[in-house]
Amino acid sequence: MYHELLGRTDPHAPTLVLSSGLGGSARFWAPQLPVLTEAYRVLVYDHAGSGRSPATLPEGYSIATMAAELLALLDELDVQRCHFIGHALGGLVGLELALQRPGLLQSQVLINAWSSPNPHSARCFAVRKNLLNHSGPAAYVQAQALFLYPADWIAANSAQLAEDDAHALAHFPEPANLLKRIAALQAFNVEAHLGDIAVPTLLIANRDDMLVPWQRSQHLAQGLPNGRLCLLDYGGHASSVSDSTTFNRVLLDYLAEQA
């Protein structure tokens, strides 16, 4: 998989692994990299079958498979301990990592993630699948901001979003791969194993997230033995982009606490 190791180069620097959501692109974390790379060694990567990691995803592709792919990359890079930061689908990968190799994670930060399906998110993803299947990638990309960002932020950042849409369309993944990734997150369910995940975990959620209800993060915080909820008022599903100043402060404070 395509990856980049950024920031500090000394062997004793703490390592952060950043895993993006459904889009799977390392580019998602651009608003965080300037502040994180000052103090940490930072690994970003494009998920298999997306961005610069070409692949034909198999039938039955799952979040567990995504975690195994990341573990193979971490083994290749000899990353034995790390802090994990995952957004949405990336957060599900973190939960799987904690189950598959609990000794790897020093802590994790899961942003607008979940442990089992819910009817609201299922409806949203059904809409996105219908757009892709019946209207094509351009319609899918055009609608994406509506699921990710607050309405006022969309109105104030139309030029940036136009550039983002053009980039997303130019690098759009194989539709079959995207549909398999959506199916994987829809099937994800680790309710029975939450009590086994002892990794210190910060759950960041947004009250105005229209894709994943913030109560799903609250549920995780209650079910994980060392879970803690930070509930933000503004930012939508991707507050790391739409309110990066607030998000970065919360993230850095938690990482400093873990150190």
Side-chain angles (χ1 to χ4, degrees):
M1 291 187 293
Y2 177 86
H3 64 277
E4 298 177 45
L5 270 173
L6 308 168
R8 289 175 57 183
T9 58
D10 55 288
H12 301 296
T15 299
L16 308 182
V17 176
L18 278 56
S19 185
S20 57
L22 180 58
S25 174
R27 187 172 181 264
F28 176 79
W29 299 105
Q32 282 66 60
L33 293 180
V35 296
L36 293 179
T37 52
E38 291 181 4
Y40 300 95
R41 182 172 71 149
V42 181
L43 173 66
V44 293
Y45 72 104
D46 288 353
H47 292 205
S50 65
R52 295 155 289 186
S53 298
T56 299
L57 302 182
E59 296 298 329
Y61 192 66
S62 67
I63 301 295
T65 308
M66 296 181 204
E69 291 168 343
L70 178 54
L71 285 173
L73 175 61
L74 295 176
D75 288 343
E76 177 186 331
L77 299 173
D78 194 29
V79 175
Q80 300 178 18
R81 292 279 282 168
C82 65
H83 302 275
F84 180 87
I85 303 165
H87 174 256
L89 179 148
L92 313 190
V93 173
L95 290 169
E96 271 292 341
L97 288 182
L99 290 170
Q100 292 186 26
R101 195 179 295 179
L104 171 71
L105 301 181
Q106 294 168 269
S107 72
Q108 58 181 352
V109 179
L110 310 181
I111 306 125
N112 292 320
W114 60 93
S115 52
S116 59
N118 76 85
H120 174 79
S121 297
R123 178 179 289 266
C124 292
F125 284 113
V127 169
R128 297 177 83 175
K129 287 194 295 184
N130 282 330
L131 283 169
L132 182 58
N133 285 327
H134 302 297
S135 300
Y140 180 96
V141 168
Q142 185 180 36
Q144 185 161 262
L146 302 176
F147 293 101
L148 295 182
Y149 307 121
D152 64 323
W153 192 88
I154 292 174
N157 292 273
S158 58
Q160 177 184 333
L161 286 173
E163 292 180 9
D164 291 346
D165 288 354
H167 182 275
L169 194 55
H171 298 84
F172 200 80
E174 287 293 329
N177 281 349
L178 182 53
L179 290 170
K180 287 172 184 173
R181 285 171 61 77
I182 293 175
L185 65 82
Q186 288 182 308
F188 182 75
N189 190 329
V190 291
E191 288 294 332
H193 304 290
L194 289 182
D196 300 326
I197 300 175
V199 178
T201 304
L202 177 67
L203 291 312
I204 300 179
N206 294 81
R207 290 186 185 275
D208 58 350
D209 184 350
M210 73 150 288
L211 183 59
V212 180
W214 65 266
Q215 290 87 350
R216 302 311 299 157
S217 292
Q218 181 184 54
H219 175 75
L220 272 170
Q222 293 169 344
L224 295 170
N226 292 303
R228 181 200 310 174
L229 177 65
C230 175
L231 185 58
L232 304 177
D233 289 326
Y234 179 79
H237 187 63
S239 61
S240 56
V241 176
S242 57
D243 189 12
S244 59
T245 300
T246 300
F247 178 89
N248 290 351
R249 174 180 51 78
V250 170
L251 178 60
L252 288 171
D253 285 350
Y254 184 75
L255 291 171
E257 178 185 327
Q258 297 308 307

